[in-house]
Amino acid sequence: MKMALLKAPTPQLQWRCSVAPTTLAFPNSHSISAGRGKGREWSWRVKCTTSATTSGGGSAEIEKGAANFSPGSPVRATNILVVGATGTLGRQIVRRALDEGYDVRCLVRPRPAPADFLRDWGATVVNADLSKPETIPATLVGIHTIIDCATGRPEEPIKTVDWEGKVALIQCAKAMGIQKYVFYSIHNCDKHPEVPLMEIKYCTEKFLRDSALNHIVIRLCGFMQGLIGQYAVPILEEKSVWGTDAPTRIAYMDTQDIARLTFIAIRNEKLNGKLLTFAGPRAWTTQEVITLCERLAGQDANVTTVPVSILRFTRQLTRVFEWTNDVADRLAFSEVLSSDTVFSVPMADTYNLLGVDSKDIITLEKYLQDYFSNILKKLKDLKAQSKQTDIYF
């Protein structure tokens, strides 16, 4: 990649219920609902400037990933940018990449509490915001591969980051000659257009494919890490655990395994342009997960069951008010996760393709057993220390 790429014509995005990049001239445009029946129009301009700053206050170009970059310099395949590096999956991607010798740059939003732990690990942290496309290009200088783990915050509209921001990022990646783009999507997103987040994920997959970027799409079913806060901690703290009466089954996977398989896929050139789905060894219902946590914790859970019918009614009610649209969007996703659906796929062919032994993939039983064993041991030690420090008069 040469610096001359920064002088490419300014890509523009004009979206009125469809994507139509006018400068990069992608082959097709893809429709996506916007406005709940009302016409809405978004437009912005992506400028290939170099004004993004690092969390330390310096310009992106002077950080280690781009410090030695000059016109004509080859970009090493080990130079990667992780977008969404502070998230549940993103931080595991960063750790794995650093362990395997990659030069890791992390794109994170400016925040009151800096992501110092990423720098402590050895990564470069660059401040930028997908909702502000003009901050993106500088973060891509000297980058070979983008690994996109980002998703919007619960308090912001789904479209802001997961659609508008991703379109801008893909356009910039195309304009600046990024060699590979890894995008994480959701299993079965193509089967649920009624759920905004899943529709957006599927549209982003198509937009990425039509961009002609060298890419890999990885669809995921669920993270084991998410079960800790949802079930394990409330049970230990004797708080309510929320569940549903639906028979949904999800094949949860450890994000460390996802990260390991991701880098195997990145290094396999035969997987360029492929769609992969990663799933855990077994699909679990909510009640089965709760029962497992109860057994490992040695105590019963205070379970509050929410019928699926209540979720449906709540979603319909929130649709009445424009200011609750985003709440309704998230309830729609909850409704899918609470339906008679199986989020799992057979993994034998994928393991063979990646050269991975299925025995090396951690099971949910093992993951939760390790968690409860460590936590209960710490609680026991704290209790013992507390007794040793008691003072009697």
Side-chain angles (χ1 to χ4, degrees), residues 213-264:
L213 275 170
N214 192 9
H215 69 278
I216 300 174
V217 173
I218 300 174
R219 291 183 179 179
L220 305 174
C221 297
F223 300 155
M224 291 182 184
Q225 279 74 5
L227 301 177
I228 300 301
Q230 192 170 2
Y231 302 116
V233 173
I235 290 175
L236 288 172
E237 295 182 349
E238 299 182 354
K239 295 181 179 179
S240 292
V241 175
W242 296 86
T244 70
D245 56 356
T248 308
R249 307 185 74 87
I250 301 175
Y252 300 99
M253 198 171 196
D254 185 358
T255 53
Q256 293 186 33
D257 283 334
I258 294 173
R260 181 167 61 90
L261 297 185
T262 294
F263 283 99
I264 294 175

Side-chain angles (χ1 to χ4, degrees), residues 132-210:
K132 299 177 181 178
E134 68 276 5
T135 68
I136 297 174
T139 67
L140 306 185
V141 176
I143 291 298
H144 180 279
T145 298
I146 294 174
I147 302 181
D148 179 4
C149 315
T151 191
R153 295 168 178 165
E155 68 273 11
E156 63 188 354
I158 291 175
K159 290 189 296 293
T160 301
V161 170
D162 289 284
W163 177 243
E164 299 170 356
K166 297 304 179 72
V167 167
L169 178 60
I170 292 169
Q171 287 184 313
C172 286
K174 175 67 175 180
M176 298 183 66
I178 297 300
Q179 298 298 301
K180 188 171 292 189
Y181 192 111
V182 180
F183 175 67
Y184 291 102
S185 187
I186 301 173
H187 179 49
N188 284 336
C189 63
D190 54 324
K191 298 178 181 178
H192 295 281
E194 76 280 5
V195 180
L197 179 60
M198 299 183 83
E199 181 190 24
I200 285 172
K201 288 290 188 181
Y202 183 51
C203 284
T204 306
E205 289 180 9
K206 294 191 292 183
F207 187 78
L208 179 59
R209 182 175 64 245
D210 290 342

Side-chain angles (χ1 to χ4, degrees), residues 47-59:
K47 297 181 179 180
C48 291
T49 61
T50 53
S51 58
T53 59
T54 67
S55 59
S59 64

Side-chain angles (χ1 to χ4, degrees), residues 120 322 371 377:
D120 291 342
E322 185 175 358
Y371 172 79
K377 181 179 182 301

Side-chain angles (χ1 to χ4, degrees), residues 13-21 29-35 38-44 163-164:
L13 172 67
Q14 293 181 346
W15 180 33
R16 181 179 291 174
C17 300
S18 64
V19 176
S29 61
H30 302 294
S31 297
I32 185 167
S33 60
K38 300 178 181 179
R40 292 187 182 180
E41 180 176 347
W42 289 265
S43 64
W44 65 80
W163 177 243
E164 299 170 356

Side-chain angles (χ1 to χ4, degrees), residues 320-343:
V320 176
F321 308 102
E322 185 175 358
W323 48 269
T324 58
N325 275 342
D326 293 316
V327 175
D329 290 346
R330 298 182 195 284
L331 282 173
F333 188 69
S334 299
E335 187 176 323
V336 170
L337 293 180
S338 303
S339 61
D340 187 6
T341 305
V342 178
F343 283 83

